[in-house]
């Protein structure tokens, strides 16, 4: 069940503007049911979900269509809608704990929406940069870190293409 409703062409309550359509948006002509051959996401009854039991049931049926889901296409293309940049000496002193939080939050987000993924997580100089498939996940990761480890958080939704940029820094 989705709580968020995408509104195209109008600003939502925080004044964000949808400036373009996601090129990886699933086609309406998608065959139902379909299974993603990489991440095992199930598309059934117009709904995407991670459901290992349904995957196992459907994978043996001849009527099942095999696809690469939009999220796996984004990951393969390195197409990020969210960029989270973490910095500060506190980050590296608590690197293990912070990596654990990021991983855990990604897992929880993916269980709710299989299209929310971390594409890559890498160190760039003294910063840790995390790229996500969805803007919402980038914002979420920033907010969770800020809540659990304080620091200074900045979230901006701007640019063309429309990307959510999150920075979080804690020095001590
Ligand atoms: Zn997939």
């Amino acid at each position: 069940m989705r709580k968020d409703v995408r509104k195209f062409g109008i600003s939502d309550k925080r004044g964000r503007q949808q400036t373009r359509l996601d090129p990886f948006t699933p086609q309406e002509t998608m065959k139902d049911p379909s299974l993603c051959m990489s991440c095992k996401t199930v598309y059934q009854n117009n709904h995407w979900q991670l459901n290992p039991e349904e995957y196992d049931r459907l994978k043996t049926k001849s009527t099942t269509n095999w696809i690469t889901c939009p999220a796996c296409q984004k990951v393969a293309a390195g197409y990020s809608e969210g960029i989270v940049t973490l910095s500060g000496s506190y980050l590296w002193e608590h690197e293990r704990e912070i990596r654990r939080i990021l991983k855990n939050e990604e897992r929880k987000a993916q269980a709710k929406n299989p299209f929310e993924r971390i594409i890559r997580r890498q160190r760039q100089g003294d910063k840790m940069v995390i790229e996500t498939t969805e803007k919402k996940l980038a914002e979420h990761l920033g907010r969770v870190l800020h809540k659990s480890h304080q620091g200074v958080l900045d979230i901006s939704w701007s640019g063309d293409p429309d990307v959510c940029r999150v920075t979080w820094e804690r020095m001590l």
Side-chain angles (χ1 to χ4, degrees):
M1 220 182 299
R2 293 190 58 146
K3 271 188 236 154
D4 63 314
V5 178
R6 272 207 196 190
K7 302 169 197 160
F8 291 107
I10 51 167
S11 300
D12 69 11
K13 63 180 191 289
R14 296 188 202 180
R16 293 167 193 155
Q17 194 89 27
Q18 288 282 0
T19 55
R20 77 192 159 113
L21 289 169
D22 182 342
F24 295 94
T25 300
Q27 291 163 3
E28 283 179 15
T29 52
M30 178 87 69
K31 286 183 189 147
D32 195 328
S34 289
L35 301 178
C36 177
M37 56 188 95
S38 335
C39 70
K40 303 190 174 179
T41 293
V42 175
Y43 176 72
Q44 196 177 20
N45 303 323
N46 295 314
H47 184 69
W48 297 87
Q49 60 174 337
L50 282 175
N51 184 333
E53 293 82 39
E54 274 302 285
Y55 179 88
D56 285 341
R57 192 179 70 79
L58 290 166
K59 73 179 180 188
T60 56
K61 302 218 166 182
S62 61
T63 49
T64 295
N65 185 44
W66 289 92
I67 55 158
T68 301
C69 79
C72 287
Q73 289 178 37
K74 273 189 192 176
V75 171
Y79 180 89
S80 54
E81 289 195 355
I83 301 169
V84 185
T85 305
L86 311 180
S87 61
S89 53
Y90 180 94
L91 163 67
W92 302 107
E93 281 162 27
H94 297 81
E95 185 183 354
R96 254 183 79 178
E97 163 70 4
I98 286 169
R99 282 185 185 272
R100 192 190 60 76
I101 290 173
L102 296 172
K103 205 169 174 168
N104 198 31
E105 292 303 319
E106 183 198 20
R107 197 179 45 75
K108 284 198 289 188
Q110 197 180 349
K112 273 192 259 174
N113 176 356
F115 293 168
E116 291 193 8
R117 312 266 181 88
I118 290 176
I119 298 173
R120 63 174 81 87
R121 193 188 293 106
Q122 57 186 3
R123 186 169 182 160
Q124 290 180 5
D126 61 350
K127 296 182 163 80
M128 187 193 290
V129 179
I130 300 119
E131 292 178 45
T132 63
T133 53
E134 301 279 338
K135 295 183 271 286
K136 229 177 92 183
L137 179 58
E139 178 177 2
H140 177 73
L141 294 176
R143 290 196 187 283
V144 167
L145 269 187
H146 186 241
K147 203 173 168 194
S148 56
H149 288 270
Q150 296 77 49
V152 180
L153 178 70
D154 183 71
I155 298 171
S156 79
W157 295 65
S158 60
D160 184 22
D162 186 19
V163 167
C164 177
R165 288 175 202 281
V166 177
T167 60
W168 176 88
E169 183 172 59
R170 182 166 169 186
M171 297 313 292
L172 297 169

